[in-house]
Amino acid sequence: MMKKIFIALFVSLCSICAAASEAAIDTTTIHKKGWNFGPLPVIGFNSDLGFQYGVCCDMFNYSDGSMFPNYKDHFYVEASRYTKQQTLAYLLYDSDYLIPGIRSVFVASYQLDPMYYFYGFNGLEPYDPALVADKSTHTARYSYWRSMIRAMADFQGDITGPNFRWAAGLAFWHFRIKDLQMADYDPANALFTKYRNSGLIKPNETGGGTHLELKLGAVYDTRDFAPSPSRGIWVEAFFTGAPDIFKSGSAYLKFCAHFRQYLSLGTDAFVFAYHLGYQSTIAGETPFYLLQNIYNLKMLQTSSEGLGSANTLRSILPCRLLGESYAWGNFELRIRLFKFNLINQSWYVGLNPFFDCGWVLKPYRLDGCADFYGKTKEALLAQTRGFHSSAGLGLKLGMNRNFILSVEAALPFKKDDGSFGVNIGFNYIF
């Protein structure tokens, strides 16, 4: 069924864009100036969350047009909901000009997940799709109730020119966690409840918590154009952590690194892009409900969680790999098929075949996992360090090279990591 949905969307979008391309007389790039508004209905799909509906608006200020397709100010707002009841309210603002000489990014969001996914720690829990949501046995084994409030402010300034920059920021997180609240499912059957009762999830974590994180690091960025680069390197390395100022019982420090490179293969229409990520807790212990956070200095998606999900390891179960330390890679060929002008906007259509992979390098609470699963630590270590991967194909529709509609489908190579999945959203994942 998922294959049919993806193929239908793919063919329909290509047909519409081809027709528009033939109708366009002027195929030169349109240069925008002033404010450009892109209000749209949010109509998406995610194999894990269902169909998405809502409204969003991308707003760009191109000033006098001399900097196009770069911009002076960028706002993005979204209010949406999935049929599996996840609700999202999201606001982003970024600018290189709000504070002279400083690149500023602000994000605020609220997310409610009545059936937030939980597949245990370290990728150890066997996955049975029949237990995802079975009303006949009142079982939703891989879910619990969660809400999240997030507010972030990140800043970057030049060290030795515009390519090499310092980075610093603040992030406020507030999580609320409950047993499943839906009448069709018994919380006693949930893996979250079993972990909590066994002590794998600590008493001070079961209801959630509040944290104020600090960030400090450096960025090296030579991309020719940030939203859809054709060449360049984008490297981030930084520390982020939280003292226990809210008395949640947890203090931690993490090191995070991202290496991304974009290689033009003779022409900007063919770009090989890859991303290598690493994230590790180097002091303290992360509360379990923060393990899924994938830290970046600038968010490209409304959500940044993993490992697993449409934004890290595509079509692998969301947050399938929760560890204290992990590494992952994304590799894709970005092919720009053709471009056209329509409704006074410049568009392009592209494909991106891709391959994703990841590993847990340092497991989370391995002693407790050994007791819970009745196995030796050595056996669990071997299982934890397994290779997880998926491969697939994406279709992109870009407007002014800034607003990018994305349809991606992928298949995991391990049965325990999920099945064929489709995601409709925005932007490249790196």
Side-chain angles (χ1 to χ4, degrees):
M1 181 62 179
M2 292 299 100
K3 292 181 180 178
K4 292 180 180 178
I5 291 174
F6 176 67
I7 292 169
L9 287 168
F10 179 88
V11 171
S12 298
L13 191 51
C14 279
S15 299
I16 292 170
C17 294
S21 180
E22 292 174 1
I25 298 173
D26 181 9
T27 58
T28 59
T29 300
I30 295 173
H31 286 267
K32 309 293 292 184
K33 62 181 181 179
W35 282 95
N36 192 67
F37 295 86
L40 287 171
V42 174
I43 303 173
F45 178 79
N46 182 291
S47 295
D48 302 299
L49 299 170
F51 285 93
Q52 183 186 24
Y53 56 94
V55 293
C56 70
C57 186
D58 238 345
M59 296 164 278
F60 294 93
N61 177 14
Y62 295 111
S63 190
D64 61 2
S66 61
M67 63 181 67
F68 181 87
N70 292 307
Y71 50 82
K72 186 175 181 181
D73 304 281
H74 172 217
F75 284 94
Y76 177 77
V77 294
E78 177 179 328
S80 64
R81 183 180 173 89
Y82 284 91
T83 50
K84 293 186 180 180
Q85 302 188 38
Q86 184 195 86
T87 301
L88 174 68
Y90 182 87
L91 170 66
L92 176 143
Y93 170 77
D94 74 274
S95 174
D96 292 347
Y97 300 89
L98 177 68
I99 305 173
I102 302 295
R103 299 186 178 185
S104 308
V105 180
F106 301 93
V107 173
S109 65
Y110 169 75
Q111 186 171 311
L112 173 64
D113 296 274
M115 296 187 71
Y116 187 71
Y117 18 70
F118 181 66
Y119 300 97
F121 301 152
N122 310 311
L124 296 173
E125 178 69 18
Y127 173 66
D128 183 350
L131 300 179
V132 171
D134 186 350
K135 294 182 180 180
S136 65
T137 60
H138 305 288
T139 298
R141 182 171 178 81
Y142 309 109
S143 300
Y144 64 85
W145 187 98
R146 189 198 78 164
S147 70
M148 178 189 73
I149 296 173
R150 171 183 58 191
M152 304 169 62
D154 290 299
F155 307 95
Q156 297 181 23
D158 295 349
I159 297 176
T160 59
N163 299 129
F164 186 38
R165 305 189 298 271
W166 58 263
L170 296 169
F172 172 83
W173 303 88
H174 177 66
F175 293 87
R176 292 178 61 214
I177 294 172
K178 301 178 184 178
D179 286 326
L180 281 170
Q181 305 293 297
M182 305 182 76
D184 292 323
Y185 306 111
D186 184 355
N189 295 328
L191 184 62
F192 166 77
T193 305
K194 297 180 186 298
Y195 265 46
R196 182 186 61 197
N197 292 344
S198 72
L200 261 174
I201 293 175
K202 297 180 178 181
N204 64 300
E205 301 172 337
T206 57
T210 304
H211 303 269
L212 181 65
E213 294 179 339
L214 309 176
K215 296 179 187 174
L216 183 63
V219 179
Y220 181 70
D221 188 355
T222 64
R223 289 173 295 169
D224 59 338
F225 181 63
S228 55
S230 300
R231 59 185 63 85
I233 293 173
W234 178 20
V235 183
E236 299 175 346
F238 58 95
F239 296 93
T240 185
D244 192 15
I245 61 176
F246 292 103
K247 307 301 179 184
S248 65
S250 298
Y252 53 90
L253 178 65
K254 294 176 178 287
F255 175 71
C256 309
H258 300 269
F259 182 91
R260 313 168 183 92
Q261 186 171 14
Y262 309 87
L263 300 167
S264 178
L265 304 180
T267 170
D268 289 353
F270 292 87
V271 176
F272 176 68
Y274 68 93
H275 164 230
L276 305 176
Y278 173 79
Q279 184 169 303
S280 180
T281 303
I282 58 176
E285 185 182 60
T286 308
F288 94 94
Y289 52 79
L290 277 169
L291 287 175
Q292 78 283 348
N293 284 358
I294 301 297
Y295 293 91
N296 298 278
L297 293 177
K298 181 178 179 181
M299 294 184 62
L300 299 180
Q301 312 285 343
T302 56
S303 174
S304 183
E305 296 184 337
L307 280 179
S309 79
N311 299 324
T312 55
L313 306 181
R314 285 163 279 194
S315 287
I316 289 180
L317 296 168
C319 308
R320 175 60 171 159
L321 307 178
L322 296 181
E324 283 281 23
S325 172
Y326 37 75
W328 70 103
N330 311 106
F331 307 86
E332 58 186 51
L333 180 63
R334 299 178 178 178
I335 305 168
R336 202 170 301 165
L337 297 175
F338 55 85
K339 60 182 181 180
F340 59 94
N341 295 335
L342 184 66
I343 56 173
N344 199 34
Q345 309 289 345
S346 178
W347 304 79
Y348 75 86
V349 174
L351 292 176
N352 61 307
F354 58 83
F355 174 76
D356 300 334
C357 56
W359 309 259
V360 172
L361 301 178
K362 179 183 176 182
Y364 186 71
R365 296 179 182 169
L366 192 62
D367 289 336
C369 288
D371 293 336
F372 184 85
Y373 290 104
K375 297 182 178 180
T376 66
K377 290 174 61 175
E378 291 73 18
L380 291 186
L381 268 175
Q383 185 178 346
T384 295
R385 290 171 178 165
F387 182 81
H388 301 257
S389 59
S390 65
L393 178 66
L395 173 68
K396 297 291 192 283
L397 174 63
M399 182 181 74
N400 299 324
R401 293 189 65 187
N402 283 307
F403 181 85
I404 300 168
L405 175 65
S406 171
V407 182
E408 292 184 320
L411 180 69
F413 289 98
K414 285 186 176 180
K415 183 179 178 180
D416 265 355
D417 285 341
S419 58
F420 182 87
V422 178
N423 183 65
I424 302 173
F426 300 105
N427 300 325
Y428 291 96
I429 70 168
F430 66 93

